[in-house]
Amino acid sequence: MHKSHSIKKLLLTVIVLILANFGVVIPIHADTTNDNCNFHWHTPSVYVQSKTSSKGYNKLFDQAIRKYNQTNTITLVKTTSAGQITFSLKHILPKSPAATDNAKLLGDTILGNTHWESDGTQLTSCQIQINNRDLNQYGYTRQAKLHVIEHELGHALGLSHNSNDPKSIMYPVTKWNSKAKLARNDINNLKQLYSQPICG
Ligand SMILES: [Zn+2]
């Protein structure tokens, strides 16, 4: 029996904005979901690859990876080629094609950006881009940069925004130097996500 799947490529732009109100980070578009299912990777072990040579950002990326691995929920394995999740630095212009209409309307700075693709049942690749230039321009501390990276990594693993818990790393509106971190809720959400079958 032949069954042909039309590969459905879904692109999602996850955007972190900084408002004119200096220091408020708003990731506005974040769901790795279709109508009825949250996409995740086929296994909880995922290859991650850094595409930047920046020592500072690689340290932060490694720190974020360790934090996720310490949850004992998923295993992020670093690789130097063909990462399922890639990490890079990019100056993202507010009006670049990556920006959503909302971002264009607000005309704000995009600090982090996660594109994901799915074959219609599961995640097949994710690209995290971090706007290092603007993070530096707005004086983000290492901790605040780490926060942005952890948030984007959460999306790359399939987590959506968690609007109910201001302490969640996936909280959509977080203040600079926020206490938000990879919290119990996030870990539970990851566990729940990866205990589900892939989307049918
Ligand atoms: Zn987000």
Side-chain angles (χ1 to χ4, degrees), residues 14 27 30 151 155 161:
V14 179
H151 180 96
H155 284 314
H161 281 158

Side-chain angles (χ1 to χ4, degrees), residues 40-150:
H40 60 79
W41 296 96
H42 186 59
T43 69
S45 181
V46 185
Y47 285 102
V48 290
Q49 178 188 3
S50 171
K51 292 193 161 182
T52 176
S53 58
S54 161
K55 279 186 185 167
Y57 275 97
N58 276 322
K59 263 191 185 171
L60 290 173
F61 187 45
D62 287 347
Q63 234 175 303
I65 288 169
R66 270 200 303 278
K67 285 208 178 182
Y68 276 92
N69 285 345
Q70 280 165 1
T71 67
N72 292 321
T73 309
I74 45 119
T75 307
L76 299 177
V77 182
K78 280 203 81 181
T79 179
T80 53
S81 65
Q84 293 163 289
I85 295 173
T86 60
F87 174 84
S88 61
L89 305 181
K90 183 177 166 61
H91 181 223
I92 307 163
L93 296 170
K95 292 189 177 178
S96 73
T100 65
D101 288 338
N102 278 342
K104 286 176 191 168
L105 282 173
L106 290 167
D108 289 325
T109 301
I110 300 161
L111 295 176
N113 198 11
T114 298
H115 296 272
W116 57 265
E117 291 180 14
S118 149
D119 62 3
T121 63
Q122 59 188 309
L123 293 175
T124 53
S125 77
C126 281
Q127 297 93 43
I128 296 173
Q129 294 173 334
I130 297 296
N131 189 345
N132 57 320
R133 188 165 131 179
D134 287 349
L135 283 170
N136 288 336
Q137 187 180 330
Y138 287 104
Y140 270 59
T141 61
R142 282 181 56 82
Q143 193 57 38
K145 289 174 184 172
L146 179 62
H147 183 112
V148 174
I149 294 169
E150 285 177 12

Side-chain angles (χ1 to χ4, degrees), residues 14-16 26-30 151-152 155 160-161 169-172:
V14 179
I15 291 179
V16 181
I26 301 185
I28 61 161
H29 191 180
H151 180 96
E152 298 302 327
H155 284 314
S160 300
H161 281 158
I169 194 70
M170 300 315 294
Y171 191 65

